[in-house]
Amino acid sequence: MNGHRRFERSLRWYPMDWRDRYGDELVALLEDTYGDQPLPRRCRLSLVRAGAGEWLNGSGAERDRDGRRQQVRSGSLLVLCAWSVFVVAGAGFAKFAEHWDAVTPSADRRLPAAALGAVQGAALAGAVVVLVGAAASLPAFVRSMRQGGWSPIRRPVLRAVTVTSVTVVLTVGLVAWAHHLGPQQRQGAQWAYAGAGAFWALAVVASIATCAAAAVAATRYLHLPLRVLRLEGALAVMATVAMVAILAGTLVWWGALAASAPWFFGSGVVGSSASPVPPALILSGSLMALALVAAVLGAGRVARSLTRMSAD
Amino acid sequence: MPRRASRPDKALGRTNEPAVLILTSLASGPKHGYALAKDIEEFAGVTLGPGTLYGAITRLEERGLIEATAGDSRRRPYRITADGRAALAVVVRDMRAIADEGAARLRLRVLARDIITGHLPAPSFGRAR
């Protein structure tokens, strides 16, 4: 790694807009001061501390226009990360909710079915919103790549591509394997298949996490035009609304089923007793709630900054 | 548009704060980051870390106390503005008043440069002020 790149990397703690304004100068200062020598620990600490200070300064009451753009960007990224967690939790919920209607009296299916339909509709809408957000930032991403922006995001992107490729291969293999098994074996009677399924689930989680990390890393280096930034902010708010709808639908489904078919949460035998708060559902619900809190914080930051940008 | 404090000098901080050191350095002419760091090291004996230096430059520019001049974008020189001079003058006067009082009580002869650098001479009770 040459000196310039090495010093540039040491500024990764600073906000994007700060680096745009002062980054080259600070890199020149580091080159003049340290040349080919490694940065002393004291200097690195100084940069970490000062970089964190600039983030805090950007979130203070005196934030300026560039700061507000940064707020929209960071708020949107927070919503994106929350959405990733939500996808994992939602997948867990979807798996748990499979075949609920098989043990629910037909007269009691209407409300949980409507709630589940709302969950699925909101999940689809949220996925579309995230895809539109990715598509909107694609031109800026291409521009960044043409201007040598690949180097700082190479690691997270390659990591995401590798993990996702492994996950795709695992998925194909698992589906092919499943075709050779009977229904009981697929439901856990065969331990090897169950183990592979658990490993696949971990791979999916890792894939979602690395893709989100790559998206965050890439977005940090993008120069998004104002109209794209506004669109990304609006999409982040919409994704948050979708998450609210998903969590609300999940809770309604949960409550309705606990009232009409509580045995679904236990053995599944109609008429048997069971706790309406199974650990798997508690875990999924808690993850969704935590992700939603983060998303609301991000969307709030976006909404405030967009409002102030409109007033400028 | 740079942000302006109602009393710019209020934001500068104490004598050996980076902001005061930078304004003092720029009072003798425009300098870029490396030249500033070296000058401050020379006249004050203080080594400012790169993060600290550019953090202070950011704040000073936001408050309109210094401004970047045209030049090499990687080694951009900064100069002190009229507001910056006024703010530094107020701080130096305040420091001078305190230093004079302290010197009088200690019977020292203190120069303005000593106040800024913090290098006060050892007490010499033979030299009354």
Side-chain angles (χ1 to χ4, degrees), chain A residues 21-22 25 32 54 62, chain B residues 3 59 61 75 78:
Chain A
R21 169 62 186 85
Y22 297 101
E25 290 179 45
D32 292 346
E54 294 304 329
E62 288 189 320
Chain B
R3 297 192 296 246
R59 300 288 96 71
E61 196 180 18
R75 288 177 181 78
Y78 289 90

Side-chain angles (χ1 to χ4, degrees), chain A residues 109-135:
Chain A
R109 285 181 199 163
R110 197 170 171 182
L111 181 57
L116 211 55
V119 167
Q120 288 164 345
L124 183 64
V128 169
V129 160
V130 171
L131 287 176
V132 170

